[in-house]
């Protein structure tokens, strides 16, 4: 499957101008978009939140941007990505990159899909505005 990353972010997997009561709510909302689209199960959401609880705000990959994911393959039905924006920003307790206004949620099916999606995302982010 060699679809460009932008093909995974569709109107069904996009939510703009949301508000969140903290990082956990923001993660839940980003995951819920994929649950509603039928791409992941609630197990994915639980795993994604647990990852941040145990490892900290490592998912905040650059100023204002977080990349949410679960343990590889947990609750993933098919490769998918959501894009959710938060108008007021959300504190993830990252020392340099808070507040987060864009939360991307990546649901890879395996290591290969994960690496391809990350490569596509990095390419997109490096292009800038």
């Amino acid at each position: 499957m060699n679809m460009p990353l932008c093909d995974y972010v569709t109107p069904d997997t996009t939510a703009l101008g949301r508000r969140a009561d903290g990082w956990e709510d923001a993660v839940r909302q980003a995951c819920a978009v994929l649950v509603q689209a039928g791409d992941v199960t609630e197990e994915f959401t639980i795993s994604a939140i647990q990852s941040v609880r145990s490892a900290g705000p490592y998912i905040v990959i650059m100023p204002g941007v977080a990349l949410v994911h679960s343990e590889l393959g947990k609750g993933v039905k098919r490769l998918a990505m959501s894009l959710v924006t938060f108008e007021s920003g959300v504190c993830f307790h990252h020392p340099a990159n808070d507040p987060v206004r864009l939360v991307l949620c990546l649901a890879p099916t395996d290591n290969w899909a994960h690496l391809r999606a990350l490569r596509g995302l990095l390419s997109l982010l490096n292009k800038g505005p």
Side-chain angles (χ1 to χ4, degrees):
M1 187 180 292
N2 288 322
M3 289 172 48
L5 188 63
C6 61
D7 288 349
Y8 294 105
V9 179
T10 67
D12 289 341
T13 61
T14 303
L16 305 176
R18 296 277 183 98
R19 292 188 179 276
D21 295 325
W23 72 263
E24 191 170 326
D25 185 33
V27 169
R28 249 184 234 294
Q29 289 186 49
C31 293
V33 171
L34 295 179
V35 171
Q36 290 169 0
D39 297 324
V40 301
T41 67
E42 199 57 40
E43 179 185 23
F44 178 87
T45 304
I46 294 165
S47 178
I49 290 170
Q50 187 55 44
S51 291
V52 179
R53 282 184 185 157
S54 62
Y58 73 99
I59 63 169
V60 183
I61 58 172
M62 62 190 298
V65 180
L67 177 61
V68 172
H69 56 87
S70 72
E71 186 178 322
L72 190 62
K74 280 249 175 150
V76 177
K77 295 180 181 180
R78 62 183 160 260
L79 178 61
M81 178 174 267
S82 68
L83 181 153
V84 181
T85 64
F86 295 90
E87 63 182 43
S88 299
V90 180
C91 178
F92 275 73
H93 305 288
H94 190 280
N97 295 334
D98 275 341
V100 170
R101 286 187 167 74
L102 171 62
V103 177
L104 300 162
C105 186
L106 176 62
T109 52
D110 56 38
N111 280 325
W112 181 241
H114 186 237
L115 291 173
R116 280 194 330 257
L118 286 177
R119 185 172 48 237
L121 176 62
L122 289 173
S123 174
L124 180 67
L125 293 173
N126 283 330
K127 287 180 183 176

